[in-house]
Amino acid sequence: MVISRRGVFRAAGIAAASAAGVVATGGSAFAAGKPDKPGKPETPGKGRPVRTGADIAAADRWRIFAGRRVGVITNPTGVLEDFTSIVDDMVAHDVDLRAVFGPEHGFRGTAQAGEAEETSVDPRTGVTVYDAYGATVAKFAGFFAQSEVDTVVFDIRDVGVRFYTYIWTMWTAMQAAAQAGDLRFVVLDRPNPLGGRARGPVLQPGFTSGVGLLEIAQQHGMTVGELARYFNATFMQRADQKPLTDLQVIEAEGWRRQMVGPDQAERWIPPSPNMPTPQTAVLYPGTGMVEATDWSEGRGTTRPFELIGAPYLDHRWAAALNDRKLAGVEFREAYFTPTFSKNANKVCAGVQVHIMDAEKVDAIAVATHMLVEARRLYPDFAWRGDGGRWIGLLTGSGRFQQQLEAGASAEEIIAAWQPELARFRDDTEPFLLYPGPRE
């Protein structure tokens, strides 16, 4: 049950809501607070301003954390509307901040893909920053005990894709919070830049990995706050943990599921080094699958996941894809030389995927057509050297590879995941916090 945020907080306040075990949300919870740094949030779509959970909590001078020993999981995207880091702002407002836990790429964002920042003391704030990338439940619980936190805060901009690792950092931390004594867990929610539509195949048993720990859709169409509610209610007991009794989500205000693009498009902060633009994020649920092939996915160029190619591709690919007239995109014949990663320092032929209408783009369907057409045109098509294991982990089962190699059409491959996707939409419906379409 979702309890009215205005009714709960006007009637009883945050403390009573917490004691009752309800979800703390944005909106009126902090309506009485006056922002220290007034600003004018962007007005997306139809003139309704978007405020993140962090902005709402900061406007109340972080009083939600009064008397608490706080640890924060965040990265460079965890900022207020004036770009101030939430960590810096909390310290400036005397929050008892005991620790920061840095995910992949690190708290300040100095590390590349698959790397992290070492545990150290942040020179700006004096707060200890723990290297939490790849941390197990036990390691996270150890960090919590060592730093003596009683409240864990999560604030990272997710990009809405199962194989983007930040949501799994959150899930691991949630389990650790339960194991460490049922700590309070607070999610400062942010809009999903892909909107709220769920798309693609759902992870199947036997295909869990660091890029997919639970059975969710490839493009899950949920905010991190919604995912936290779903994970807590659905998967915690299966993980041999008791569900968190004090899970709070500070909702973003003004966001609706049909909004594709970040909460403040011109203020985009790359959540990782190879996610430089909102356009990258829109394509990533699909073109991220290219990492399973021997092609370059554009790492080492200025347009990762938009430029796709290999030395053996040619002009025929773009022509074939444009003949498909896929909704929301067009393909330009392109040539590029990646400076690192696959095919580094080799001239690659391929395409640049141009987004013509972001709201119409189904990136996973687009990438499926790209793979099917390339395999039809080029006998040199190959997986990246692991026999297709990685495409199974990214798509969540062995079905995609089997169908592709058997010569199935893109339409047949896409149709195969529709029943499980429909079940996922139904299963997650009770945990959604924002209005708008799921299909």
Side-chain angles (χ1 to χ4, degrees):
M1 178 175 67
V2 178
I3 299 175
S4 166
R5 55 188 174 202
R6 286 182 172 82
V8 168
F9 291 107
R10 283 180 179 169
I14 293 173
S18 173
V22 304
V23 176
T25 63
S28 299
F30 301 98
K34 187 175 182 179
D36 289 347
K37 306 179 185 71
K40 186 177 181 181
E42 183 211 0
T43 303
K46 299 182 179 179
R48 189 177 179 188
V50 171
R51 300 177 70 205
T52 67
D55 288 328
I56 292 165
D60 198 54
R61 296 172 173 80
W62 305 106
R63 277 185 283 192
I64 188 174
F65 302 129
R68 311 294 299 199
R69 303 186 302 276
V70 177
V72 177
I73 303 167
T74 194
N75 72 354
T77 67
V79 298
L80 306 178
E81 64 186 22
D82 66 353
F83 294 128
T84 300
S85 164
I86 64 166
V87 168
D88 298 344
D89 201 65
M90 286 181 183
V91 170
H93 287 83
D94 297 321
V95 173
D96 186 3
L97 187 58
R98 300 293 182 94
V100 175
F101 308 102
E104 183 178 7
H105 311 295
F107 160 50
R108 296 290 187 185
T110 65
Q112 255 292 349
E115 299 177 2
E117 296 168 341
E118 294 182 357
T119 296
S120 61
V121 175
D122 179 50
R124 183 183 183 109
T125 61
V127 176
T128 299
V129 180
Y130 294 85
D131 174 11
Y133 175 46
T136 62
V137 172
K139 190 170 184 178
F140 250 126
F143 288 158
F144 297 161
Q146 184 178 347
S147 57
E148 299 182 325
V149 300
D150 61 17
T151 300
V152 180
V153 180
F154 185 90
D155 184 16
I156 296 178
R157 182 197 298 282
D158 179 43
V159 298
V161 183
R162 185 181 61 233
F163 44 74
Y164 206 59
T165 63
Y166 297 137
I167 59 174
W168 306 123
T169 299
M170 180 179 73
W171 165 235
T172 304
M174 288 174 64
Q175 295 175 78
Q179 188 178 100
D182 195 19
L183 307 181
R184 176 189 286 182
F185 201 96
V186 179
V187 178
L188 302 177
D189 214 8
R190 292 178 181 270
N192 183 331
L194 304 184
R197 292 177 171 88
R199 291 179 170 131
V202 175
L203 182 75
Q204 302 299 307
F207 285 84
T208 57
S209 71
V211 293
L213 294 177
L214 298 172
E215 293 87 343
I216 65 173
Q218 189 165 316
Q219 180 177 324
H220 52 72
M222 300 171 75
T223 68
V224 288
E226 292 172 332
L227 282 172
R229 285 159 51 86
Y230 179 54
F231 291 171
N232 194 49
T234 307
F235 298 107
M236 195 70 87
Q237 288 183 321
R238 196 182 74 181
D240 295 324
Q241 304 289 349
K242 292 183 178 179
L244 295 165
T245 60
D246 197 357
L247 170 63
Q248 302 186 11
V249 177
I250 311 304
E251 287 182 46
E253 285 187 338
W255 186 72
R256 299 179 298 280
R257 314 195 83 80
Q258 58 266 42
M259 292 180 177
V260 177
D263 47 312
Q264 297 178 331
E266 80 280 8
R267 302 165 70 79
W268 176 263
I269 298 171
S272 56
N274 293 291
M275 198 64 61
T277 70
Q279 290 81 5
T280 318
V282 170
L283 293 173
Y284 179 69
T287 55
M289 294 156 62
V290 171
E291 296 196 77
T293 72
D294 64 350
W295 308 342
S296 168
E297 63 277 358
R299 292 183 189 273
T301 76
T302 59
R303 288 289 183 177
F305 302 106
E306 298 176 54
L307 283 170
I308 310 293
Y312 59 82
L313 302 178
D314 63 20
H315 62 92
R316 293 176 292 162
W317 194 31
L321 290 170
N322 281 324
D323 285 345
R324 304 295 295 176
K325 299 189 184 306
L326 302 177
V329 296
E330 292 183 10
F331 300 88
R332 179 182 65 84
E333 177 186 349
Y335 300 86
F336 59 95
T337 303
T339 59
F340 66 88
S341 194
K342 289 180 293 178
N343 295 300
N345 303 314
K346 297 179 181 178
V347 176
C348 293
V351 299
Q352 181 175 352
V353 188
H354 289 263
I355 298 173
M356 311 308 292
D357 187 339
E359 292 188 13
K360 294 181 179 178
V361 174
D362 182 340
I364 302 172
V366 167
T368 300
H369 282 275
M370 292 171 70
L371 288 161
V372 166
E373 288 299 319
R375 192 175 186 280
R376 180 180 66 83
L377 289 169
Y378 306 104
D380 290 338
F381 172 87
W383 303 113
R384 68 176 195 173
D386 57 7
R389 175 180 176 273
W390 194 241
I391 193 64
L393 297 180
L394 293 177
T395 60
S397 76
R399 182 182 59 214
F400 188 99
Q401 179 187 3
Q402 292 164 5
Q403 289 185 290
L404 183 71
E405 292 178 351
S409 68
E411 290 80 6
E412 290 170 329
I413 295 173
I414 293 166
W417 66 61
Q418 297 307 314
E420 68 206 43
L421 179 59
R423 288 193 295 272
F424 173 76
R425 288 174 179 143
D426 288 343
D427 290 346
T428 54
E429 184 70 27
F431 306 98
L432 303 183
L433 296 168
Y434 307 92
R438 290 283 277 153
E439 298 184 32

